[in-house]
Amino acid sequence: MTKKELSRYFWLRHEIARQKERLKLLEDKMQRETVTVIDSGVQYRNGKAKACRMEGIAEVDTAVPAMIIVLQQEIRENIKQAEACAAKIESYIQNIEDPRLREIMRCRFIDCDSWERVGKKNYISEDYARKMVRQHIKKMDRL
């Protein structure tokens, strides 16, 4: 896995959260777009009127709900892809054998800490933390 791929983790998580917000807004809009009609119908057995409720989309505006459904499907697919990518990065970091390097990678790429903060959390200099990550990535590229 490259440094560029590892650095995408933050933005993948950010994108997932934003897409979920968009999906919620679309679902709310879809709820507002439906029309409720209350009417009475006649029961054939006794001839009395019975109230019935029908929900649906107003005849005049079917394009907006159709567009919302398409966007919902696209957003769900986008979320699924982003979550798969994020899981791949998490799995890669979790499978690093050296616990110290694994924690450094977690701090840098999962928690998105600065190199200075990564060094402080792991009781090493920021330059050494950077060097460990760079050496690991070079080693993995050779394999």
Side-chain angles (χ1 to χ4, degrees):
M1 184 158 294
T2 66
K3 186 176 177 183
K4 185 177 182 178
E5 289 172 322
L6 290 167
S7 297
R8 290 181 58 209
Y9 184 84
F10 171 80
W11 291 109
L12 287 168
R13 284 288 167 211
H14 178 72
E15 179 183 30
I16 290 167
R18 294 284 295 138
Q19 291 289 46
K20 285 182 178 179
E21 289 172 16
R22 286 183 187 103
L23 191 57
K24 176 86 173 99
L25 289 172
L26 288 173
E27 287 168 352
D28 290 345
K29 184 174 175 123
M30 186 69 161
Q31 290 297 323
R32 288 191 305 267
E33 293 294 327
T34 59
V35 177
T36 302
V37 177
I38 298 177
D39 197 3
S40 60
V42 178
Q43 272 192 337
Y44 292 106
R45 288 186 183 163
N46 60 12
K48 294 184 179 177
K50 180 181 176 187
C52 63
R53 178 182 172 158
M54 298 183 299
E55 288 187 18
I57 300 169
E59 241 181 86
V60 292
D61 194 14
T62 56
V64 172
M67 180 187 71
I68 290 172
I69 291 169
V70 169
L71 285 173
Q72 285 174 328
Q73 291 168 346
E74 289 175 0
I75 288 172
R76 284 189 186 106
E77 183 61 33
N78 186 272
I79 289 171
K80 200 184 309 178
Q81 289 173 354
E83 285 176 339
C85 223
K88 183 179 171 186
I89 292 169
E90 290 168 357
S91 174
Y92 173 80
I93 290 174
Q94 190 58 35
N95 289 320
I96 294 173
E97 289 182 22
D98 181 6
R100 186 180 202 184
L101 178 61
R102 187 172 49 241
E103 185 56 30
I104 290 168
M105 297 284 274
R106 242 189 239 116
C107 289
R108 179 63 181 169
F109 298 108
I110 304 283
D111 300 340
C112 299
D113 289 338
S114 67
W115 284 114
E116 180 182 3
R117 190 160 169 86
V118 170
K120 283 182 182 177
K121 281 184 174 180
N122 293 285
Y123 309 106
I124 58 176
S125 72
E126 62 184 90
D127 291 333
Y128 187 60
R130 199 179 287 124
K131 181 180 178 181
M132 286 180 72
V133 170
R134 191 172 38 248
Q135 285 177 343
H136 174 75
I137 291 173
K138 275 185 185 177
K139 179 180 153 190
M140 298 317 299
D141 284 345
R142 280 187 254 134
L143 296 177

